[in-house]
Amino acid sequence: MNISFQLQDAATFATPLLAVFAVDIATGPAEQPSPALLSTSDAPAAVASPWLTSGEFKAALGETLLLHAPHGIKAERLLVIGVGKLSALSIHQLRKGAGVAVRTAKARALTGLAIAFPDDMALADEHMDALPGELTARAITEGTILADFEVDTYRSDRKDSPLTAVTILYNDPERSTQAHLQQGFHEGRILAESQNFARSLVNEPGNILTPTELGRRAAAMAAETGLACEVHSTDKLKELGMGAFLAVTQGSPEPPALIVLRYEPENAPVSPSEEAAPVLALVGKGITFDTGGISIKPADSMEKMKYDMAGSAAMLGAMRAIALLKPTIRVLCVVCSAENMPDGRAYKPGDVVTAMSGKTIEIINTDAEGRLVLADGLHYARTLGATHLIDAATLTGAIGVALGLLNAGLFSNDDETTQRFLDALPTTGEQFWRMPCTDDYRDQIKSPIADIRNTGATRYGGAITAAMFLKEFVGEAPNLPAAKWIHLDIAGTAWSDEPQPWISRGPTGTAVRSITDWARSYAN
């Protein structure tokens, strides 16, 4: 799909489908919905007016009104897309609205689509700040590209999407903001394509995307974007003393992959002070298939465990975006990839393994393998010079129990580092909720035989005890100061079983945009 940005009045653009956004301007909960177009163009408003006043279209988020042969408009069809209440209007609603436009066009096998850039002059003064031009351009571009992703990769009757061209139209006679809008369009394209790259990795079946293949695809992406890349396997893990990571790999004939990417811009500051010149590390759990090992999972829905490498996919997607956006900050990425399988060589409950940091770990449950590979990945990133760490993992089912399927869990040992991440969320539209990660939970992972155990002492607070386990590997260690750290548990949000009007079912690519913007914040 070719996507472009053009300065032109939407009413004069010939296209099979023109999409225009609408909001509900009713102010009180008891008031009847009052839809209004986010456009000052007279032609679309005149065409849609009878339906906007009839009460049958309410401008709810994702609601659509399709009008054929609209008078006074060169488009063959006019699609009015609701983006919800004006009082709650945000660029994320427009991101979803753009996705609705694409999904609607694809469902009707249309070849072309134009989206009218929302005109904030149509808003009351108190709402005009809700749609800053550059971020609006970015969000609409992201929504457009994300909506084009499909999961039917291996269907024999799969056809290419008929939608080949999308044009975002902006009517600005003075062209005073063109540079800002083009920048937003540029960033949105990179971020959405990087998120779709992550989604394509998660969508692959486990027999195709093995750890070795994940390493190949990471290396190919690095070559395309100018990142340095190394891919190691079993011998390197042994050399580094990654006993926790190695334990997980024992039950599979597929060799593990330790993937290391580096982004080192020439103009990045270098200083003995980490505050002046931090080094960021993105660490991802890359379990390409998770049976649970000896503590085997139930058969029901086990096929989805190909998505257990979604954390690593998010990090690879973020590294792609960082390489193309070129912030002035050094960033490295460590992906620990393996299969968790239950053969005769597999690690067992009751085993004790020694992590790279020297900590000993009693294995209680072999299905708590993600924290083991991350333990060595986090420590290794610190030996490479990282001062700030962020990891992402489909780590616990408990996070879905705690937060449902709308928010991912965020855990951290540093308030300022966390706030930088949270500050990005109004722009990225992704939802994360900070969870406790305080030392009074540490007793839950104490072991009578080793330094720590790999699950909590009880079933309560499972996502927290998993985070507490990881926290053991970001604190002070011999010859290493403590690092500032964020852990993202994305198990409840990395995969969606239900399609939405603006996005397909399947892998979501969650966290790519937020991780990228968090990293970019250090370049300022």
Side-chain angles (χ1 to χ4, degrees):
M1 182 181 72
N2 179 51
I3 179 170
S4 60
F5 189 88
Q6 188 166 321
L7 290 162
Q8 185 173 341
D9 184 350
T12 67
F13 188 79
T15 178
L17 181 66
L18 171 65
V20 180
F21 300 116
V23 292
D24 176 11
I25 61 174
T27 56
E31 286 190 37
Q32 291 297 315
S34 180
L37 296 188
L38 283 177
S39 171
T40 54
S41 178
D42 292 337
V47 171
S49 179
W51 286 269
L52 298 183
T53 58
S54 69
E56 63 183 271
F57 176 76
K58 300 176 175 58
L61 179 61
E63 184 182 5
T64 58
L65 171 66
L66 182 62
L67 304 174
H68 292 263
H71 179 70
I73 298 175
K74 285 198 172 181
E76 298 170 18
R77 304 164 185 81
L78 176 66
L79 178 68
V80 182
I81 302 172
V83 291
K85 289 280 190 182
L86 175 59
S87 58
L89 183 63
S90 71
I91 58 171
H92 189 44
Q93 310 300 81
L94 298 179
R95 184 182 286 109
K96 292 178 177 179
V100 171
V102 170
R103 304 296 292 179
T104 301
K106 291 179 67 171
R108 286 161 177 77
L110 301 180
T111 59
L113 164 69
I115 300 174
F117 197 89
D119 191 340
D120 61 8
M121 295 301 292
L123 302 176
D125 288 345
E126 62 269 25
H127 296 294
M128 288 179 65
D129 290 342
L131 302 181
E134 183 176 331
L135 295 181
T136 300
R138 169 180 155 173
I140 291 174
T141 305
E142 288 169 353
T144 299
I145 294 171
L146 293 173
D148 195 41
F149 180 88
E150 302 290 353
V151 299
D152 58 346
T153 307
Y154 293 99
R155 287 183 63 106
S156 57
D157 60 351
R158 186 180 198 245
K159 296 182 176 68
D160 290 336
S161 170
L163 184 62
T164 57
V166 177
T167 307
I168 301 171
L169 299 170
Y170 184 75
N171 186 22
D172 177 19
E174 299 180 358
R175 302 192 176 188
S176 58
T177 58
Q178 182 179 3
H180 293 298
L181 297 177
Q182 289 287 0
Q183 180 63 25
F185 173 73
H186 171 70
E187 292 186 6
R189 184 174 204 147
I190 288 172
L191 286 158
E193 289 175 350
S194 298
Q195 186 171 343
N196 278 351
F197 169 69
R199 295 167 79 192
S200 69
L201 292 175
V202 178
N203 195 51
E204 290 284 29
N207 64 317
I208 291 175
L209 194 78
T210 61
T212 301
E213 179 62 20
L214 181 61
R216 290 194 191 104
R217 297 197 189 187
M221 180 273 289
E224 291 171 1
T225 58
L227 294 168
C229 179
E230 304 167 14
V231 181
H232 305 287
S233 194
T234 306
D235 289 345
K236 184 67 172 181
L237 271 58
K238 291 178 179 177
E239 176 190 326
L240 293 171
M242 289 184 164
F245 188 179
L246 278 165
V248 177
T249 73
Q250 290 175 195
S252 173
E254 291 288 345
L258 174 63
I259 305 164
V260 182
L261 303 177
R262 288 182 174 87
Y263 169 74
E264 297 184 354
E266 293 180 0
N267 56 350
V270 179
S271 166
S273 166
E274 69 175 48
E275 295 303 325
V279 177
L280 311 184
L282 318 184
V283 183
K285 171 188 173 184
I287 303 299
T288 57
F289 196 81
D290 181 19
T291 66
I294 297 297
S295 307
I296 197 163
K297 293 176 180 291
D300 186 36
S301 296
M302 195 194 286
E303 73 280 359
K304 291 178 188 170
M305 286 301 100
K306 68 177 188 176
Y307 99 118
D308 211 24
M309 40 64 66
S312 65
M315 294 314 187
L316 294 174
M319 287 298 289
R320 180 187 185 276
I322 288 166
L324 295 174
L325 292 170
K326 303 186 185 311
T328 54
I329 183 72
R330 288 182 293 160
V331 186
L332 59 92
C333 174
V334 175
V335 167
C336 300
S337 184
E339 287 186 340
N340 187 23
M341 301 291 281
D343 83 353
R345 297 178 61 251
Y347 75 130
K348 308 172 293 299
D351 286 359
V352 173
V353 301
T354 303
M356 183 183 177
S357 69
K359 285 187 183 291
T360 55
I361 305 164
E362 180 188 10
I363 305 303
I364 304 299
N365 188 321
T366 65
D367 195 23
E369 85 297 332
R371 65 200 71 181
L372 295 174
V373 302
L374 286 175
D376 282 343
L378 289 165
H379 184 81
Y380 183 51
R382 294 170 64 199
T383 68
L384 298 178
T387 61
H388 295 64
L389 302 166
I390 187 166
D391 74 72
T394 48
L395 204 63
T396 69
I399 198 65
V401 174
L403 297 178
L405 305 181
L406 297 177
N407 280 268
L410 184 155
F411 303 79
S412 181
N413 65 355
D414 184 72
D415 292 342
E416 189 273 338
T417 306
T418 297
Q419 194 57 52
R420 278 181 181 267
F421 188 88
L422 296 176
D423 286 345
L425 301 188
T427 298
T428 67
E430 296 183 315
Q431 294 176 266
F432 293 85
W433 193 265
R434 189 173 185 182
M435 300 283 285
C437 191
T438 51
D439 288 343
D440 47 348
Y441 286 95
R442 191 184 184 282
D443 284 350
Q444 296 294 309
I445 58 168
K446 283 184 177 178
S447 165
I449 190 173
D451 294 329
I452 52 176
R453 45 190 282 159
N454 79 326
T455 63
T458 72
R459 66 186 181 90
Y460 299 107
I464 299 172
T465 53
M468 292 302 300
F469 181 93
L470 297 181
K471 190 177 179 181
E472 292 287 308
F473 300 92
V474 300
E476 290 188 8
N479 302 316
L480 289 174
K484 296 178 179 179
W485 161 74
I486 291 174
H487 160 55
L488 305 176
D489 191 338
I490 60 172
T493 58
W495 187 277
S496 175
D497 285 324
E498 297 297 329
Q500 298 296 331
W502 47 84
I503 200 166
S504 72
R505 67 176 293 275
T508 63
T510 192
V512 169
R513 301 195 303 269
S514 298
I515 292 168
T516 304
D517 278 5
W518 173 80
R520 294 171 73 199
S521 75
Y522 287 92
N524 296 326

